[in-house]
Amino acid sequence: TGKFVIINMFIVNFFKGLMYKLGLYQKTGDLVFLGLDNAGKTTLLHVLKEDTYTQTDSTIHPHQEELTIDGVTFNTFDLGGHDTARKIWKNYVGTVNGIMFMVDTTDVDRLELSKKELMKLMEMPELQDVPVCILGNKVDKAGSISEDELREYFELLPH
C-alpha cells in the first residue's frame, strides 16, 4: 500500500503541475485518455478519480467522466484503444485541452503501433497547440522498457 500512495501522490502532483502549465489551474478543461488497448487508461482514470487501484476490463465503448483534482475540473474521455476505437479518436480530439497518451512499457511488440498511432494524432492540424503527455505505464513490471528507452523509441527530448 505504501508504494501505491507514493505513486498516487506522484500522479496527482504531476497533474497539478501540468494544469499550471496549461493555464487551467482553478478552471475546467477537456482531457482525453488515449493509447492502445491494455495500456492502463481506465485504471489511471479510476486511480485519479477514486484514489483506488481497480483492475478493469478493456474499454469497449467510449465513456466520459468528470474528474476534479485540486480545484481543476476535467471532462475526461476514455476512448479505448482497440482497433475499432482508434478509428474514432479523431472525432473526440478536435476541441480538447490536453491528451494523456499512455504506453504499455511491457508490450514491446506493439511499441511501433503505439508510436504510429501517436504520430497520426500529432499530424492533425487541430492538435498543433494541444499539449500531449506521453506516460509510460507498467514500468514496475518485469520486461518493461526504461524511461530512457521509451524516450528514445518515441524520439522525445530528454528531460
Side-chain angles (χ1 to χ4, degrees):
T1 323
K3 184 177 181 181
F4 173 73
V5 172
I6 291 169
I7 291 170
N8 192 30
M9 285 308 300
F10 168 78
I11 292 171
V12 169
N13 289 335
F14 168 79
F15 269 91
K16 283 170 60 177
L18 181 63
M19 294 310 95
Y20 276 116
K21 288 180 182 179
L22 295 176
L24 292 175
Y25 194 72
Q26 300 293 336
K27 297 181 182 178
T28 62
D30 290 334
L31 183 64
V32 65
F33 286 72
L34 301 175
L36 299 183
D37 51 304
N38 202 36
K41 302 171 295 296
T42 304
T43 301
L44 175 60
L45 185 56
H46 283 282
V47 167
L48 293 170
K49 185 174 172 110
E50 300 163 11
D51 199 25
T52 59
Y53 175 80
T54 305
Q55 200 81 20
T56 61
D57 292 329
S58 291
T59 302
I60 303 299
H61 304 287
H63 65 274
Q64 179 272 332
E65 291 194 43
E66 189 173 278
L67 170 66
T68 301
I69 300 175
D70 282 357
V72 181
T73 301
F74 300 98
N75 187 30
T76 64
F77 298 92
D78 178 4
L79 302 182
H82 53 87
D83 187 50
T84 303
R86 292 193 309 266
K87 292 176 183 176
I88 65 163
W89 285 1
K90 64 183 180 297
N91 299 335
Y92 285 82
V93 299
T95 61
V96 298
N97 298 101
I99 296 173
M100 175 63 67
F101 191 87
M102 301 203 41
V103 178
D104 179 348
T105 61
T106 65
D107 194 357
V108 294
D109 293 337
R110 296 197 315 156
L111 284 176
E112 184 62 34
L113 178 58
S114 187
K115 181 179 177 181
K116 177 183 168 189
E117 293 297 337
L118 176 62
M119 292 303 115
K120 277 196 233 177
L121 290 169
M122 302 308 294
E123 292 170 358
M124 294 176 63
E126 58 266 47
L127 295 179
Q128 292 306 306
D129 296 323
V130 174
V132 176
C133 172
I134 300 169
L135 180 64
N137 193 21
K138 305 179 187 178
V139 295
D140 57 331
K141 304 281 185 193
S144 67
I145 62 171
S146 69
E147 177 184 348
D148 288 337
E149 291 169 313
L150 182 66
R151 285 177 178 278
E152 183 177 327
Y153 196 87
F154 279 78
E155 301 173 39
L156 304 172
L157 298 174
H159 54 292

